[in-house]
Amino acid sequence: MPALRRRDDVSRDPRGLAAGSTMDPDQDAPGAGERLRVRRSLDFIRSRPGLFLPDDEPPAFAIASLLLETALRQGVAPLTVRASADFRAIGADRDWLWRERDGERHVFDRLIALPGVANSFRGEILLSACAPFWAAVANGRVVYRSSARFDDARVLREAQGLGAFAVVVAEAAE
């Protein structure tokens, strides 16, 4: 994880040092060598969504765009993308969200780089951190939803015709 220079994101011990920090006595400025670690990626993203989402787009659009890039970089094709007044949705013929083929299970609580792409991250964490509501649909069945804000029938209508697997992201919480 890259070193961060923000003091409000860390735990401190009684001496004023960040938990897990290191001090380099060869640095000129006091604290210049201090290495700070964020306690939890989700907390950091939620407290600073502007670092991860453009502020000139609705969150669901930005999240769906990053999920689309994540799927494309995994070689998932064909993909179907749909936008309605309330939702953005991405569909494919296979489940690409939970794990890559023959690969490790993806996580939704920390930043993971896109394979082979510098300064990037997979889109799944934005579902957990920023989406007002999201759901996954597999073979005509809702297999996950982030809350009970929308019923299964509504989610299934949004995913209809998108393929065997779809991710549905709400524009706003109802």
Side-chain angles (χ1 to χ4, degrees):
M1 179 177 280
L4 299 173
R5 301 286 178 201
R6 300 286 306 235
R7 295 187 186 277
D8 54 9
D9 296 328
V10 297
S11 302
R12 297 195 170 276
D13 72 13
R15 296 170 299 178
L17 296 176
S21 69
T22 58
M23 295 297 290
D24 181 357
D26 298 327
Q27 296 290 323
D28 314 346
E34 187 174 3
R35 183 182 165 124
L36 307 178
R37 294 185 191 185
V38 175
R39 282 183 290 209
R40 291 188 51 211
S41 295
L42 285 173
D43 293 339
F44 183 75
I45 292 169
R46 287 178 182 137
S47 69
R48 291 167 183 77
L51 294 176
F52 301 90
L53 297 171
D55 49 355
D56 61 342
E57 298 176 347
F61 181 84
I63 293 167
S65 295
L66 188 55
L67 288 172
L68 183 61
E69 179 182 11
T70 299
L72 288 169
R73 292 203 180 266
Q74 291 181 73
V76 178
L79 288 166
T80 304
V81 180
R82 181 184 301 144
S84 69
D86 298 324
F87 293 92
R88 304 280 185 210
I90 301 170
D93 292 335
R94 68 177 174 91
D95 178 352
W96 52 269
L97 187 69
W98 307 110
R99 72 174 68 233
E100 289 186 52
R101 282 190 187 169
D102 303 321
E104 215 176 295
R105 185 171 172 85
H106 297 143
V107 294
F108 293 73
D109 65 349
R110 64 181 178 269
L111 292 168
I112 298 175
L114 287 165
V117 182
N119 300 320
S120 67
F121 62 94
R122 296 181 53 91
E124 293 93 342
I125 192 167
L126 293 182
L127 289 170
S128 297
C130 302
F133 171 88
W134 74 276
V137 176
N139 300 314
R141 200 175 113 250
V142 176
V143 294
Y144 177 85
R145 55 185 175 146
S146 60
S147 72
R149 289 185 181 144
F150 297 97
D151 64 16
D152 286 358
R154 176 87 185 270
V155 171
L156 291 171
R157 276 194 309 272
E158 295 297 330
Q160 188 173 4
L162 290 175
F165 182 79
V167 177
V168 177
V169 182
E171 285 293 342
E174 251 187 12

